[in-house]
Amino acid sequence: MIAPALVTSADELRQVLQLQQLNLREKITEQEKAEQGFVTVHHDLATLEKMHRLAPSVIIKDGEQVAAYALTMLRECRELIPELASMFSLLDKLEWKGKPLPAISYYVMGQVCIAKAYRGQGLFDMLFSYHKTIYQPRFELFVTEIATRNTRSIKAHERVGFRTIHTHRDEIDEWLVVAWDWN
């Protein structure tokens, strides 16, 4: 039986990185990107280990194999991944329900990915439901950024409760900033 759990080992983090490598936008075809979605940011093991010491990410395993992951990224992680500095700077300027976002307890979905063989089986919803179960006592808002051309990801995030709070363009792509209100 597959069920969500928190990351507990370096081996699981290595498997997260392997799954990430298979689904990076530069490693898949345009058709796959359009139909299946993609991930953008490259992580390394040392960075993931630092992230997980602050707050473990959620994974789903089939036996000993990681089938899906949803990375937990606290605001304290902002310096760990230079590619995300502009996102964190933008989040510092946004508001939620009339309050500056930095005044609200929130964290960021660092990245979500499901292995091809497991797509369409409800794992995305399981990952996010587990995030809510684990982190709702500490946070009132769950935030992430999605490339507008990643329509599969946008639809999946909307389905579980995320709503768009901002749209912007950078040197890479056009992005939606989305948030899931847990209050």
Side-chain angles (χ1 to χ4, degrees):
M1 179 175 147
I2 59 175
L6 294 177
V7 168
T8 60
S9 72
D11 180 59
E12 291 169 342
L13 292 177
R14 281 189 283 279
Q15 289 186 51
V16 163
L17 291 173
Q18 291 168 351
L19 184 52
Q20 178 185 80
Q21 284 296 312
L22 293 172
N23 292 280
L24 286 165
R25 70 176 169 194
E26 63 269 18
K27 297 201 176 175
I28 60 176
T29 67
E30 290 301 318
Q31 182 177 349
E32 281 182 291
K33 287 180 214 175
E35 294 174 0
Q36 298 294 316
F38 54 91
V39 296
T40 303
V41 176
H42 302 243
H43 295 83
D44 60 41
L45 185 59
T47 300
L48 288 184
E49 287 173 335
K50 289 174 187 173
M51 288 169 52
H52 294 287
R53 279 194 290 274
L54 293 168
S57 292
V58 176
I59 57 172
I60 296 175
K61 291 172 71 173
D62 186 359
E64 293 302 311
Q65 187 64 41
V66 172
Y69 66 83
L71 300 180
T72 306
M73 185 176 292
L74 302 188
R75 289 188 268 183
E76 295 86 344
C77 297
R78 72 186 303 143
E79 304 299 324
L80 296 178
I81 304 168
E83 301 96 327
L84 297 180
S86 62
M87 177 195 70
F88 279 106
S89 293
L90 174 65
L91 294 176
D92 287 344
K93 298 171 190 157
L94 297 180
E95 292 186 353
W96 176 256
K97 295 185 177 177
K99 288 175 64 177
L101 205 52
I104 299 169
S105 63
Y106 79 89
Y107 72 106
V108 174
M109 165 54 54
Q111 187 175 81
V112 60
C113 187
I114 299 167
K116 288 178 185 177
Y118 296 89
R119 292 179 186 160
Q121 299 177 34
L123 274 65
F124 186 94
D125 294 23
M126 290 169 62
L127 288 166
F128 281 85
S129 176
Y130 199 71
H131 260 276
K132 186 175 182 182
T133 297
I134 296 298
Y135 291 111
Q136 185 179 25
R138 289 175 56 191
F139 301 98
E140 58 187 287
L141 202 62
F142 194 14
V143 178
T144 195
E145 193 175 51
I146 309 166
T148 58
R149 61 190 171 109
N150 197 343
T151 55
R152 183 178 179 128
S153 183
I154 292 168
K155 289 175 186 171
H157 282 81
E158 287 173 347
R159 186 182 64 246
V160 297
F162 285 85
R163 298 296 170 251
T164 299
I165 62 172
H166 183 76
T167 304
H168 70 99
R169 176 170 280 290
D170 66 10
E171 62 279 353
I172 298 171
D173 223 323
E174 182 178 56
W175 301 89
L176 298 180
V177 177
V178 297
W180 186 8
D181 188 346
W182 286 346
N183 284 326

